[in-house]
Amino acid sequence: MTSELKGVIPPMTTPFRGDGELVLDAVKAQVDFLVDAGSHGLAAGGSTGEGHTLDPEEYRDLMQATVDATAGRIPVVAGIIVDSTRDAIRRGRIVRDLGVAALQVTPVHYLFKPDDDAMVRHFKTMADETGMPIIIYNVVPWSYLSPALLVRIMTEVPLVVGVKQSAGDLKLFADLMITAPRDKMIFSAVDALMYPSYALGAAGSIAAILAAAPKASVDLWNAVKAGDHATALDLHQRLLVLWNAMIADNLPACTKFAQSLQGVPSMFPRQPMPVASPAQQVAITKALAGLGIQASVKGAA
């Protein structure tokens, strides 16, 4: 299903109760919400999904529930956020028989950064040991991979099929687009700049804004593909208002709040992340209204 990875691929939030326990029964409602909005794929267990907080058993259960709920309608990408090659391999092996299309793998996110050769070995070893297609999620500030290193990894490790380029720098995104091998997929996670990312030729996007406003995000993708740049610019501007209301250190919690206003069961972030503040809630509600989305809230578990 790797060949089907394109377009709008929202990163799901992970449903937790107020006491931090995983609520697997709530996965299907979110999957259906995103599929019904026209999403082309889903990603689970990434940073928007607080994947770094999941133990291996929870991780596998979440992926199984997501694949089951999706029921083959669209491909599923499995996020991996860990700090060692051993643990990355372990998670890849946990999900490789579940039918996921690819692994979305974040470079180590703790303080110490491998050198370039060690980073190449990390992804090569993971590919060799899991046999799974890998999308590098380039987001960690102190472990940020240059376009040149990303191209080297994609060239030397064939199972690295693409990159999810993040961190808000459209110049680095553009540099990667013109240097990456033509058979690789470059996804944008530059949430504020989906429109220019698509105009630059992105294969698609995997970004929190998509999970918060999936229908508008799909409409933006379709507008660019159709050459309707007036519609695309209008959607970009309204989605930017939503992004400015959401972007904060508790982004997953803000994404959950935006989803809750659209009928997805309201859930909590895992502590110590705080819920969306009153000010954030007001701003997000107003921004969604600007996209024509009126609040329809279901209760929290």
Side-chain angles (χ1 to χ4, degrees):
M1 295 180 71
T2 307
S3 61
E4 300 176 22
L5 289 175
K6 63 179 181 179
V8 174
I9 304 176
M12 293 175 56
T13 60
T14 300
F16 298 116
R17 293 194 317 230
D19 63 3
E21 290 302 307
L22 186 61
V23 186
L24 292 174
D25 289 346
V27 169
K28 188 176 188 306
Q30 184 179 171
V31 168
D32 289 345
F33 164 65
L34 296 172
V35 171
D36 291 346
S39 301
H40 304 103
L42 298 176
S47 53
T48 302
E50 301 170 80
H52 58 288
T53 74
L54 299 170
D55 65 38
E57 292 75 20
E58 290 176 322
Y59 175 73
R60 188 193 187 286
D61 289 346
L62 175 66
M63 293 304 165
Q64 183 70 71
T66 302
V67 171
D68 289 347
T70 306
R73 290 176 287 176
I74 54 177
V76 174
V77 175
I80 295 178
I81 308 176
V82 292
D83 270 323
S84 73
T85 305
R86 184 195 70 161
D87 286 345
I89 290 169
R90 181 179 296 170
R91 297 223 172 190
R93 286 174 171 170
I94 284 173
V95 301
R96 66 181 171 185
D97 296 326
L98 299 184
V100 299
L103 308 176
Q104 175 189 283
V105 183
T106 304
V108 295
H109 57 282
Y110 192 57
L111 185 61
F112 306 109
K113 179 181 179 180
D115 62 24
D116 286 3
D117 290 342
M119 194 70 78
V120 173
R121 285 195 300 273
H122 171 70
F123 287 103
K124 183 178 188 310
T125 303
M126 189 176 181
D128 290 345
E129 293 294 329
T130 66
M132 289 289 296
I134 294 170
I135 297 169
I136 298 174
Y137 180 14
N138 194 26
V139 66
V140 182
W142 50 86
S143 194
Y144 202 70
L145 311 189
S146 68
L149 179 54
L150 291 166
V151 169
R152 178 185 168 190
I153 295 170
M154 286 188 283
T155 301
E156 295 185 19
V157 188
L159 275 176
V160 174
V161 297
V163 173
K164 172 183 170 180
Q165 182 76 343
S166 186
D169 190 323
L170 199 62
K171 171 64 163 59
L172 289 175
F173 183 89
D175 287 341
L176 184 58
M177 287 297 306
I178 66 171
T179 55
R182 296 298 94 188
D183 61 336
K184 303 299 183 179
M185 299 175 290
I186 309 302
F187 295 94
S188 177
V190 188
D191 298 70
L193 299 169
M194 292 289 104
Y195 173 29
S197 295
Y198 299 156
L200 287 168
S205 52
I206 310 173
I209 191 71
L210 316 177
K215 177 63 166 62
S217 297
V218 171
D219 288 346
L220 172 57
W221 169 264
N222 290 339
V224 175
K225 288 301 178 183
D228 184 356
H229 291 281
T231 296
L233 179 59
D234 174 64
L235 285 165
H236 156 75
Q237 291 171 339
R238 290 188 282 153
L239 284 165
L240 182 57
V241 174
L242 176 59
W243 179 244
N244 289 339
M246 292 170 52
I247 179 61
D249 289 336
N250 63 338
L251 175 59
C254 291
T255 306
K256 288 179 178 179
F257 178 74
Q259 292 180 330
S260 76
L261 295 180
Q262 299 168 76
V264 176
S266 179
M267 291 290 160
F268 294 87
R270 188 165 258 179
Q271 292 183 354
M273 183 180 291
V275 300
S277 70
Q280 289 173 324
Q281 292 183 26
V282 169
I284 291 167
T285 302
K286 182 177 179 181
L288 287 174
L291 287 163
I293 300 169
Q294 302 302 318
S296 173
V297 182
K298 291 186 180 179

